[in-house]
């Protein structure tokens, strides 16, 4: 009678057969249903099969009676169930069990279900998660030699389990990605080291036989994400790790491509310069002779008596412009010719002083004060005096041109390791950051009458001495040009 008044939805309970069928359909979950007294009222098919038990033997038995011993996290021997199951028993625990000399790890979940008339049921389900922990224990067992091999690798090496937990993260990986192994291992999921969907794509390619074979990915060019958020181009090889035929993890080896990219750009540039050089040589040759004729005649005509003043002025202008063009051509061929240096042992500070004297009138004109700080004992070394003079002139000129209102031009010469380090610092207007990477591009200039060849000539000449030239600058503060020359004793 009462039931007819209760809404149907409340009285409806899943038919018991259906409930049993549902539990039986869970292939990877071993489920046990216990009543109020912790007696077994149901065990699903997977459970019986996995633990090798017969239904008739366990039905109605207290679950503690089941023989299979488990070990709790505190190494306590447990039965299937602890003596007492109460709502405050942890809902999810890990237990281990030894069978056939193998340790299995299970994740156990408890669900308390209120039944009708206050009867309580407990659903006790276990999942075998041994695979997840197998690789980890293998990693723990790695011997010192293996550890050292991984550590010493220049490549980045990361090993992760199938859930993406990082188990190995060597120093090489640290250098490329910016994390310490302590920050990465067990704390960061491996996909975090890649932008957006890259990790998923990598995983797909590992399984795709077209990329080095199934389970292998060879030399794949992609990007990793550095701790600071920047993207690093890398070369990645990866392999699936198996144990007993099961996939347990992935090992990735990767190499930083930044240096390689830089060299490629450099090579491209030097190729371009070489082509440019040939063109310039050809053009100069074609232009120079007529230019000399034009300039020569203009000068001659300009000296004629009885010339109207206006004509003389224009002829002078022709002569001056022709001279400017000639100088431009000389500059161009200087940087493209690249004559091998004629090195002799010389006194570099003396050369610096000489160039400063040469330009003294220019310094005075612009109220620029010159300072030289040379380290006391600079070992004599061999360099091409003419070429280094050219470098100094170009750099001093740039410094002067950056200080129209005056300032300081400071040159320091020190020995660091096996290099002579020259720093040429001005207090001029500086270079905006977006222009810094253009400085060594031929014809890049911000000056109305500039050729944009001064710095590239310097770089060519310094390179001929196996040296390096770099420029740092802060707008409105000034610019420092650093030259490193290897000291090769003659
Ligand atoms: P140019 O002097 O003919 O312009 P360079 O190759 O010597 O050619 O220099 C290229 C450009 O680099 C200059 O136009 C200028 O913008 C910048 N630059 C070089 N040296 C300095 C400096 N000391 N201070 C500020 N800007 C500089
Ligand atoms: Mg210049």
């Amino acid at each position: 009678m009462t039931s007819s008044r209760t809404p149907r939805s409340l009285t409806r309970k899943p038919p018991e057969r259906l409930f049993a069928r549902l539990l039986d359909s869970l292939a990877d979950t071993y489920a046990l249903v216990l009543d109020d007294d912790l007696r077994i009222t149901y065990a699903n098919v997977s459970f019986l099969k996995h633990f090798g038990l017969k239904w008739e033997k366990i039905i109605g038995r207290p679950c503690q009676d089941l023989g299979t011993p488990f070990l709790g996290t505190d190494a306590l021997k447990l039965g299937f169930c602890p003596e007492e199951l109460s709502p405050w028993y942890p809902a999810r625990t890990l237990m281990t069990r030894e069978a056939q000399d193998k340790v299995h790890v299970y994740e156990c979940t408890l669900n308390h279900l209120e039944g009708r008339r206050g009867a309580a049921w407990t659903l006790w389900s276990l999942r075998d998660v041994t695979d997840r922990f197998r690789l980890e224990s293998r990693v723990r067992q790695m011997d010192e030699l293996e550890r050292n091999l991984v550590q010493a690798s220049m490549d980045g090496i990361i090993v992760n389990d199938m859930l993406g937990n990082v188990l190995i993260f060597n120093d090489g990986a640290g250098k490329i990605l910016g994390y310490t192994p302590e920050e990465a291992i067990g704390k960061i999921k491996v996909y975090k080291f890649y932008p957006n969907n890259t990790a998923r794509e990598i995983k797909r390619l590992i399984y795709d036989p077209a990329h080095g074979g199934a389970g292998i990915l060879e030399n794949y060019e992609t990007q990793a994400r550095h701790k600071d958020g920047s993207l690093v181009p890398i070369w990645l090889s990866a392999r699936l790790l198996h144990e007993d035929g099961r996939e347990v993890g992935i090992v990735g080896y990767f190499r930083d491509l930044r240096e390689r990219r830089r060299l490629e750009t450099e090579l491209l540039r030097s190729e371009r310069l070489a082509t440019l050089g040939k063109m310039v040589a050809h053009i100069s040759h074609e232009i120079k002779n007529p230019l000399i004729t034009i300039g020569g005649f203009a000068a001659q005509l300009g000296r004629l008596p009885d010339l109207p003043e206006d004509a003389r002025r224009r002829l002078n202008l022709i002569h001056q412009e022709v001279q400017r063009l000639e100088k431009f051509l000389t500059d161009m061929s200087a940087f493209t010719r690249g004559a091998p240096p004629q090195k002799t042992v010389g006194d570099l500070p003396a050369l610096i002083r000489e160039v400063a004297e040469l330009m003294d009138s220019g310094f005075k004109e612009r109220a620029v004060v010159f300072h030289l700080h040379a380290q006391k004992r600079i070992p004599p070394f061999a360099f091409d005096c003419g070429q280094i003079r050219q470098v100094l002139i170009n750099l001093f000129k740039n410094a002067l041109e950056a200080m129209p209102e005056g300032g300081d031009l400071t040159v320091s010469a020190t020995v660091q390791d096996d290099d002579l380090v020259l720093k040429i610092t001005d207090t001029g207007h500086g270079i905006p950051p977006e222009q810094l990477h253009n400085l060594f591009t031929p014809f890049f200039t911000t000056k109305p009458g500039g050729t944009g060849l001064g710095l590239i000539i310097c770089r060519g000449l310094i390179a001929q001495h196996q040296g390096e030239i770099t420029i740092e600058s802060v707008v409105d503060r000034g610019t420092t040009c650093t030259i490193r020359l290897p000291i090769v004793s003659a």
Side-chain angles (χ1 to χ4, degrees):
M1 290 265 279
T2 29
S3 63
S4 63
R5 258 182 271 133
T6 321
R8 262 195 94 200
S9 59
L10 281 184
T11 57
R12 207 173 71 187
K13 62 170 181 124
E16 262 158 42
R17 296 287 306 267
L18 175 63
F19 183 57
R21 283 230 304 278
L22 275 173
L23 287 181
D24 281 343
S25 68
L26 300 172
D28 304 329
T29 305
Y30 318 131
L32 205 58
V33 184
L34 311 172
D35 69 7
D36 245 355
D37 303 323
L38 303 185
R39 285 176 192 278
I40 297 165
T41 61
Y42 195 75
N44 74 350
V45 175
S46 312
F47 183 95
L48 296 171
K49 225 159 76 191
H50 184 78
F51 294 105
L53 295 166
K54 285 242 165 357
W55 171 235
E56 311 80 69
K57 296 228 162 129
I58 63 170
I59 171 86
R61 298 236 331 243
C63 115
Q64 298 95 307
D65 287 3
L66 286 185
T68 312
F70 278 93
L71 288 181
T73 34
D74 45 4
L76 261 175
K77 267 219 163 122
L78 305 169
F80 258 102
C81 310
E83 295 286 323
E84 261 178 275
L85 284 180
S86 51
W88 51 87
Y89 191 82
R92 194 175 281 257
T93 46
L94 283 179
M95 289 184 169
T96 57
R97 162 182 164 255
E98 265 178 59
Q100 287 137 23
D101 292 337
K102 253 169 85 179
V103 177
H104 291 259
V105 184
Y106 297 89
E107 189 179 69
C108 315
T109 320
L110 278 178
N111 286 300
H112 295 283
L113 315 163
E114 279 307 313
R116 278 170 304 155
R117 289 189 295 276
W121 303 88
T122 303
L123 176 64
W124 178 242
S125 55
L126 300 117
R127 277 187 333 121
D128 190 338
V129 289
T130 314
D131 290 342
R132 229 205 271 171
F133 294 88
R134 202 180 289 174
L135 185 62
E136 201 177 320
S137 64
R138 272 284 293 275
V139 166
R140 270 198 227 111
Q141 286 162 13
M142 268 187 9
D143 65 22
E144 204 182 320
L145 176 68
E146 288 171 315
R147 251 175 240 284
N148 285 339
L149 280 176
V150 169
Q151 264 326 323
S153 163
M154 298 281 285
D155 287 344
I157 299 181
I158 295 181
V159 176
N160 60 275
D161 66 17
M162 294 315 282
L163 295 174
N165 299 305
V166 174
L167 303 177
I168 293 181
F169 187 94
N170 76 343
D171 289 343
K175 273 201 201 97
I176 299 172
L177 299 172
Y179 296 90
T180 61
E182 292 74 34
E183 287 174 312
I185 294 172
K187 301 205 178 107
I188 301 177
K189 294 275 185 187
V190 74
Y191 67 82
K192 290 266 186 203
F193 298 133
Y194 299 98
N196 301 333
N197 288 328
T198 307
R200 195 179 307 156
E201 176 64 6
I202 290 170
K203 208 162 168 187
R204 189 185 69 74
L205 292 172
I206 291 178
Y207 284 97
D208 185 346
H211 298 264
I216 296 178
L217 177 64
E218 296 275 17
N219 292 333
Y220 176 60
E221 220 180 299
T222 182
Q223 287 181 318
R225 190 187 286 289
H226 189 274
K227 189 180 174 185
D228 68 15
S230 63
L231 297 179
V232 183
I234 56 163
W235 234 359
L236 174 76
S237 294
R239 267 175 180 57
L240 263 182
L241 298 173
H242 292 90
E243 212 177 280
D244 299 338
R246 281 198 251 193
E247 293 165 4
V248 290
I250 293 176
V251 57
Y253 308 87
F254 51 101
R255 188 164 291 184
D256 193 340
L257 284 185
R258 280 174 296 194
E259 178 61 11
R260 201 190 158 85
R261 285 279 156 77
R262 197 183 63 76
L263 289 177
E264 277 170 6
T265 336
E266 194 98 314
L267 187 70
L268 198 69
R269 184 154 52 193
S270 64
E271 274 171 13
R272 273 205 209 120
L273 281 182
T275 322
L276 194 69
K278 285 197 196 107
M279 263 170 57
V280 165
H282 181 68
I283 295 174
S284 308
H285 182 77
E286 291 298 311
I287 295 180
K288 219 161 192 167
N289 290 339
L291 214 53
I292 289 170
T293 318
I294 296 169
F297 283 152
Q300 268 180 29
L301 289 175
R303 282 195 294 271
L304 283 181
D306 312 328
L307 211 58
E309 205 36 49
D310 194 34
R312 193 186 306 282
R313 202 177 51 78
R314 288 176 189 208
L315 283 168
N316 272 340
L317 212 61
I318 293 177
H319 182 57
Q320 272 169 26
E321 291 295 285
V322 163
Q323 271 183 329
R324 203 163 71 84
L325 279 177
E326 272 183 54
K327 188 188 157 293
F328 176 70
L329 289 181
T330 317
D331 265 9
M332 291 248 283
S333 17
F335 111 83
T336 51
R337 205 182 326 116
Q342 305 285 321
K343 293 187 195 173
T344 49
V345 176
D347 180 353
L348 191 65
L351 178 64
I352 298 170
R353 264 180 234 114
E354 184 194 310
V355 174
E357 259 162 47
L358 197 82
M359 298 181 67
D360 192 47
S361 58
F363 291 159
K364 292 224 168 82
E365 215 170 89
R366 298 204 174 206
V368 166
V369 185
F370 178 80
H371 315 265
L372 172 63
H373 303 294
Q375 185 181 311
K376 278 238 172 63
R377 261 183 290 281
I378 289 181
F381 73 106
F383 54 89
D384 184 316
C385 188
Q387 292 188 347
I388 300 298
R389 181 188 287 116
Q390 181 68 55
V391 170
L392 292 172
I393 291 175
N394 288 2
L395 297 181
F396 286 9
K397 264 179 69 186
N398 280 350
L400 267 188
E401 285 158 1
M403 298 187 283
E405 321 272 271
D408 293 291
L409 171 59
T410 310
V411 179
S412 76
T414 50
V415 177
Q416 283 174 21
D417 303 324
D418 291 333
D419 290 338
L420 181 99
V421 181
L422 269 187
K423 282 187 185 289
I424 294 133
T425 304
D426 65 56
T427 54
H429 53 59
I431 304 166
E434 67 274 12
Q435 284 178 5
L436 279 175
H437 68 278
N438 283 327
L439 297 181
F440 294 100
T441 307
F443 310 117
F444 172 79
T445 180
T446 54
K447 301 169 192 168
T451 62
L453 291 171
L455 287 178
I456 188 118
I457 291 173
C458 291
R459 187 158 79 171
L461 296 175
I462 295 297
Q464 297 226 49
H465 285 75
Q466 281 74 48
E468 236 180 47
I469 176 168
T470 50
I471 294 183
E472 288 157 296
S473 187
V474 178
V475 172
D476 291 337
R477 293 279 292 279
T479 304
T480 296
C481 206
T482 306
I483 296 174
R484 287 183 163 270
L485 290 172
I487 298 179
V488 199
S489 41

